[in-house]
Amino acid sequence: QVQLVESGGGLVQPGGSLTLSCAASGTTVSTNAMSWYRQAPGKQRELVAIVTSGGNTNYADSVKGRFTISRDNAKNSVYLQMNNLKPEDTAVYYCNAAPSRIATMSPFASWGQGTQVTVSS
């Protein structure tokens, strides 16, 4: 059974930084497309960043240049470094593991429980 456990969320001031972690078990991050999604109140869940099994990365336009997704195969974990945070980044952030980049919303994908990120002064 796949388990994804996120950590690292919290309250941060605008312009600040946070690093989210996603520890995986029951699967191997290096063979999955690993991604971070977020969902703000009243909004749809949206893709923030993805790293494929081949190591290619993609980002939502709203976070390009500020967020970095990375993978540590030895720790079987994925990270999201978030810099220059803005109030509009406030959301619950979810880790996702999928067989491919096009399957992140499929029944074959697995989700973590989410971690809250709040950007406010």
Side-chain angles (χ1 to χ4, degrees):
Q1 183 177 358
V2 176
Q3 279 196 314
L4 303 174
V5 179
E6 302 101 333
S7 60
L11 173 64
V12 63
Q13 291 187 341
S17 298
L18 278 176
T19 299
L20 305 183
S21 300
C22 171
S25 59
T27 191
T28 305
V29 298
S30 62
T31 63
N32 281 274
M34 300 298 300
S35 55
W36 288 94
Y37 278 76
R38 68 185 180 188
Q39 187 166 20
K43 294 189 176 181
Q44 288 190 333
R45 192 170 295 192
E46 63 173 355
L47 177 65
V48 175
I50 187 168
V51 55
T52 67
S53 57
N56 295 314
T57 58
N58 265 299
Y59 299 89
D61 287 343
S62 59
V63 307
K64 280 181 182 176
R66 300 188 298 123
F67 290 11
T68 302
I69 188 170
S70 62
R71 184 177 69 198
D72 186 330
N73 295 339
K75 295 184 177 180
N76 207 32
S77 295
V78 177
Y79 306 94
L80 186 68
Q81 173 68 44
M82 305 184 294
N83 297 326
N84 190 22
L85 282 159
K86 303 176 180 181
E88 52 263 42
D89 295 317
T90 296
V92 178
Y93 284 70
Y94 297 91
C95 182
N96 175 289
S100 70
R101 65 186 302 157
I102 63 171
T104 59
M105 299 297 282
S106 77
F108 303 105
S110 300
W111 294 90
Q113 82 287 352
T115 186
Q116 176 71 46
V117 172
T118 302
V119 184
S120 176
S121 55

